[in-house]
Structure formats: structure tokens, C-alpha cells
Amino acid sequence: MARLNHFDLLALGFMTFALFLGAGNIIFPPIAGLQAGEHLLPAAIGFLITAVGLPLLTVVALARVGGGMPALTAPLGQTAGTALAVAVYLVIGPLFATPRAAVASFEIGISPFSGMSPLALSVYTSVFFLLVWALVLFPGRLIDMVGKLITPVLIVALILLGTAGLWLPAGPVAPPQGDYVAQPLLKGFLEGYLTMDALGALVFGIVIATAVRDRGVFERRLVTRYSVIAVLIAATALALVYLSLFYLGAGSHILAQGVSNGGELLTRYVQHTFGTPGLLLLSVVIVLACLTTAVGLMAACGEFFGELLGQPYRRVASVFVLLSLLISNAGLTQLIQFSIPVLMGLYPLAIMLVVLNLADGLWHVPERVFRPVMAVTCVFGAADGLNAAGIGQWVAQALTFLPADGAAWQSLSAVRDLATRFFQSLPLADVTMGWVLPAAITLVIAASADRLRGRPPADR
């Protein structure tokens, strides 16, 4: 019976760390630390819950069901489960996360030397995705290429950067800003959404398991064990990276004038502290981090959609690499702004899916609980996402085309006002978490009804 030796297991953990460590993991902690200021600790704890704890639980849930997202979403039914899986794969694949990885690595690692011209971005993203495509063609060699070659270089560079943030702060820690003044933990929790790691974990679970099987390990118990160990290694490393970048941002107040994202702040800090050699180090960190994440995401999308559509893996992966290349030229700030409402609507579904799978021993028939709880979460999560997108302003603007004294205008205005008041009256709605109470109530009712109905006759 084949087993992984300690070196291969460590390489698997390094590979998992590299898959998760992408654009969002590097650009969001510094800006969150800057805004949290003196409330750094509770903000960082909230961030770690969604950016480290939730991905870890997600992989554990996947390991328990012994498969990828299809196994995790099975109680929802084939149609709903497939729809959720497609949405997750598109978001963490060609629509948001993968293009963001390319653009972030350009703006942070390359633009200080090349400038921010559209031509420079286009040339860089072309080369970036050419490398991604070349690596994606051989998914079975991810441990060798990523875990044993790329990640050790990345870890050394991150240690140097993180140590600098701790021992060479740019200035004193400033007072907190915005929502970090009154609700630092909750604000940090929401900022952790932006890393997309919980969504990434839904698809990386199968990539990790495939990498284990490619080493000749096929026993389900061992595949599960090695997957969980790999994620524990990755989670520990990610937490250390986040904490060091949080502190780096908290001490960079004097450098933050006019910055629009964490990538710009990080670039300014490195240039201020180390000059040009520091920028070269940062280029290595960000390019390697984003490259490995993009490879993992494209490999996962190729495997999922290849099986779903009945098409060869390489053909599907190549199409998604090309689509990511086209979208990546939108710019980092624009991609972040566009992705926020989508994540606010999709993350609640990911959270509840993991919670329900981890607690599956509490009910007799999973379908009785999964379907109503996920349906309610979808409705209220979508409302939070639409609110984050400013949909109320769009509706108000659309209504201006109707006569103000017309019956249609009055009816639509009344419906809009009623819906707005209802969703805004929910607890935590002001921080785009209005879905929590409705989902919790539905869970209690559905679980109670399941216990009262008992097991189906065939299972007794």
C-alpha cells in the first residue's frame, strides 16, 4: 500500500499553501490593517475566521464526503447542486479570481518598473497566462512543479517581507477608520470574503486529492488524512502571512495618501523600506503567488467543466485560460469593485453548505434540511449582494423613465420601498449579513421538522 513520505507530505502542504496564496491573500490584509489601526487584533481575528478557518473547514467537509463539490451539494439535488457549483467555479475561475491574480501581480510586481500603460498590462498578462497554460496542461505534476520548486522560493521571499513588516514599520499605528472603529471583528470577518479562499477550497479539495492519488495513494482513508494534513500546513502558513501583512499595513499610515487598494500600499511600503531591491523581491513574491494560484484554479475549472460538458480536460482548460486573459485587462480596482457584490451573495451559500455538511449527523434526511436552508440563504444572500451593488439606485434611476403619476410607477415604487425597508430592518443588514438570522431560523425549523418526521420507513 503506497504512502507519502515526510518530504512528499511537506511538499503537498507547500503546494496547497501556494494554491491558496494568490492576489487577494496579499493585497487585502495590508489595507485592512491600515484601516483597522489600533483595532488590529480583533480585525485580524475576524479576517482569519473567513480567510483561514472557513477554507480549512471546507476541505475537512470535502474530505468527509469523499469527493468534490458534487458530493458536497448532493442533498440539494442535481440541478441546484450543479448551478451552485457552476457559479463557484466561474467566480473563482475565469470571471474574477484568476484575472485578478494576473492584474494584481502586474500592478504590484511589474508596474513599478514598466509603468501602468494598457500595452504593458496586455504584454504581461499574455506572458502570464502562457505560463499558466503550460503548467495547467500537466495537472498530475503540480506537487513537483509547485510544491517542490516554486513554493520554497515563495516562502523564503515571504519570510523576508513579513519580518520587515514586523521589525521595520513605516510609522506608528494610527487610530481605526470607518467600520473598524465600532465593529472591527465583524468588518475583518467580511474583508476575509475578498480573498475568495472559502470558494477556492470548494474546488481545491479535489485538486489536492488528485495530487495525492497521482502519487499512487488510492485508499480513501489515506487520501482524506493527507488532504487534511496538507490544509493544516497551508492554514498555518497563511495565518502567519496575514498577521504580518496586517501589521505592515497598520504601521504604514504615513504612506497611504491616495492609495486605492492594498497592492499600492504594499508597493509603497517596500519601496520606502528597501528601495529598488525591495521592489524586485516583491515582484518575485507576487508573481509566484499569483501564478501558482492561477494554475490551481484553471486546473480545477478544467477538470470540473470537462467532466460536466463531456469535453477533454486540456481543451476546456485552454478555453478558460484564454477567457481569463481577456477579462484580466480590466484593471485591479475595477475587478475588485465588480466582484464585491457577487461575493456578498455567494459566500453565505458557501458558509451554509459547509456548516450543513459538517453537522449532517444531526438530521435523518439531509434533503429536508439542506434545501429549505440553502433556498432562504440564497434569497437573503442575494439581497445583501444587490444592496452592496447599489441596486436600489439602479431601480430608482430606471423608474425615472416612467410617468411620475402613472400607476406602474407608483406600484413599482411601493414594492421597492417595501422590500428596501424589510431587508434593511434585518439584524446585521447594515454590514451585508442580513442573511444570518433568516438562515438560522430556517435551519432550526427544518431540523426540528426532520426530527419529528423521523427516518423514512426503508431506513428503519
Side-chain angles (χ1 to χ4, degrees), residues 183-255:
Q183 299 173 310
L185 189 145
L186 186 57
K187 178 63 175 174
F189 181 93
L190 293 173
E191 289 297 305
Y193 281 10
L194 301 180
T195 65
M196 299 191 192
D197 279 350
L199 301 182
L202 288 170
V203 301
F204 283 154
I206 194 65
V207 175
I208 298 167
T210 299
V212 174
R213 294 187 185 100
D214 286 334
R215 287 296 186 186
V217 179
F218 297 101
E219 185 179 346
R220 180 173 172 177
R221 177 182 59 85
L222 288 178
V223 172
T224 299
R225 177 186 175 189
Y226 292 148
S227 297
V228 172
I229 292 175
V231 175
L232 286 173
I233 295 172
T236 302
L238 283 172
L240 294 174
V241 170
Y242 292 146
L243 291 172
S244 62
L245 291 179
F246 253 85
Y247 191 78
L248 182 152
S252 300
H253 182 73
I254 62 174
L255 306 175

Side-chain angles (χ1 to χ4, degrees), residues 345-357:
L346 196 56
Y347 244 85
L349 292 172
I351 292 173
M352 291 308 302
L353 183 64
V354 172
V355 168
L356 293 174
N357 273 280

